[in-house]
Amino acid sequence: MVFSVGYCIFVIRNLNSKILQSMSTLIKSATIIDTSSPYHNKQKDILITEGKIEKIADSIPKKDNYTVVKLDNLHVSCGWFDTSVSFGEPGFEERETIKNGLNVAAKSGFTNVAVNANTNPVIDNKSAVEFLINKANGFATSLHPIASLTQQSEGVDIAELFDMKQSGAIAFGDYKKPVSNDNLLKIALLYAQNFDGLVLSFPKNNAISGEGIVNEGINSTKLGLKGAPALAEELQIARDLFLLEYTGGRLHIPTVSTEKSVKLIKEAKKKGLNVTCSVAIHNLYLTDDELHGFDSNVKVNPPLRTQKDSKALIKGLNEGTIDVITSDHNPIDIEHKKVEFSVAKNGTIGLESAFGALNTLLDLNTITKCLSENPKKIFGLQTSSIEKGETANLSFFTTEGTSKFSKENILSTSKNSAFLGKILKGKAYGIFANNQLILNN
């Protein structure tokens, strides 16, 4: 990969990134992917000055003080936003720190990330929210806290939602923990309407799921692993939708994974309910056939489902029933992952492999809509377009080339990737955001 700064040429030959800041950045020969822009699907030069797009043209001459970016098969879209990321800090810094996590996100093409509350202590008060925001100040990738819905994420008492919203929380949910108390979710949906709060409800019925650790089906039976039926997810979603119909408000269902879940949400949207949902990339790309290796990296929650489910999820994205794609990036340290499958913690990292995996499954318009436009609207972030005068918030990527994802591609502190050994297509080059250019080869 080659890019130039003034008259100097820099050649990156390893995985170290270059972080560059100058008055003006010139992006050469970039194919713009932005359906809201008049330049959609056109190859243009883009000049950015002091963080704003100054000019877009077929060719813009270089000047001595320009940082010039020229990359093979360069594509540019509005910045990607990952709505479910875990970094560990505070409390689990051995898994990932905010500093390294934000750098990983930037190199993986994400200009914004929503960070989950699964820390120690849990993000369930305004001070904890402000800690995350202050800790992330000054990075190219912006961090947005998802605060806990209940105190200590224990599902008993509602947390200080309004105070946390005022401090910068963009949504409220207990990460990977279902709200078992029906009345508590009802009250949360009613209360959050007072300040346009977004409530997240993880789709799992613990009573039905029991001690299941993988999808209940042919593979779980063959391998002797305890199964969690798809019904556990679908029953919870049906309950949540009934409550939403009664209360009104805004409900987001994270990481759906079954065919019936998609059908339930599609029907709810037809009724006019204000419900949105996301899907994790590993539930699109992988199935429970991966379990035959007993690799704990593919132990995730919700579990990997069947090929039929994966196809239904992809169809749900293409037809607009599923609104958001997330990496559901969840670093787990080796002491809790490289152990017997039944006792290993759930979770996979996913930022580094996100675009390469999606690019094998979906068209670019769907990818950018579900990584940028939709999540920003749902979670209340400012949307933008690639046009003159707009603030530059851009993701860089190439659609060409295939490669096998390996440990050398992992930038996270924890290495628990379900995509190790998988063939990915294309890759992220980096981002321009907050007047910072970060590139990764």
Side-chain angles (χ1 to χ4, degrees), residues 76 127 140 148 180 244 252 278 313 373 427:
V76 177
S127 296
S148 177
S180 300
L244 180 64
H252 181 73
S278 70
L313 294 169
E373 179 185 345
K427 65 178 181 179

Side-chain angles (χ1 to χ4, degrees), residues 32-37 76-81 109 111-112 368-369 371-373 376 383-387 390-397 432:
I32 295 172
I33 306 297
D34 177 10
T35 56
S36 66
S37 169
V76 177
S77 73
C78 294
W80 304 338
F81 174 29
T111 61
N112 294 271
T368 54
K369 185 175 184 179
L371 280 184
S372 181
E373 179 185 345
K376 288 177 182 176
T383 58
S384 60
S385 180
I386 302 178
E387 296 185 53
E390 290 277 346
T391 298
N393 186 272
L394 306 172
S395 296
F396 303 144
F397 56 97
F432 189 101

Side-chain angles (χ1 to χ4, degrees), residues 146-191:
I146 295 178
S148 177
L149 181 68
T150 65
Q151 294 177 24
Q152 296 298 309
S153 287
E154 292 176 345
V156 178
D157 298 305
I158 292 179
E160 304 167 358
L161 305 189
F162 178 73
D163 286 348
M164 292 190 291
K165 171 83 170 182
Q166 294 295 101
S167 295
I170 60 169
F172 309 97
D174 297 337
Y175 183 66
K176 301 298 182 185
K177 294 181 178 181
V179 183
S180 300
N181 186 325
D182 306 335
N183 192 54
L184 189 149
L185 182 60
K186 183 196 77 173
I187 293 171
L189 286 167
L190 288 168
Y191 175 55

Side-chain angles (χ1 to χ4, degrees), residues 298-315:
V298 300
K299 187 183 180 187
V300 290
N301 186 21
L304 299 179
R305 304 288 187 183
T306 66
Q307 187 68 43
K308 186 180 179 183
D309 291 310
S310 294
K311 288 181 178 178
L313 294 169
I314 292 171
K315 182 180 178 182

Side-chain angles (χ1 to χ4, degrees), residues 5 7 11 26 75 80 86 110 127 146 162 211 256 264 305 336 424 436:
V5 183
Y7 288 116
V11 182
L26 177 59
H75 286 62
W80 304 338
S86 301
F110 291 91
S127 296
I146 295 178
F162 178 73
E211 297 180 355
V256 299
L264 288 168
R305 304 288 187 183
H336 292 96
L424 308 182
Q436 298 178 54

Side-chain angles (χ1 to χ4, degrees), residues 103-164:
N103 283 327
V104 172
K107 296 171 193 176
S108 302
F110 291 91
T111 61
N112 294 271
V113 293
V115 175
N116 296 306
N118 57 329
T119 53
N120 186 21
V122 171
I123 308 302
D124 66 352
N125 59 77
K126 61 180 298 182
S127 296
V129 170
E130 290 165 358
F131 168 82
L132 288 183
I133 293 173
N134 291 333
K135 191 80 174 181
N137 187 42
F139 287 85
T141 296
S142 298
L143 181 153
H144 310 276
I146 295 178
S148 177
L149 181 68
T150 65
Q151 294 177 24
Q152 296 298 309
S153 287
E154 292 176 345
V156 178
D157 298 305
I158 292 179
E160 304 167 358
L161 305 189
F162 178 73
D163 286 348
M164 292 190 291

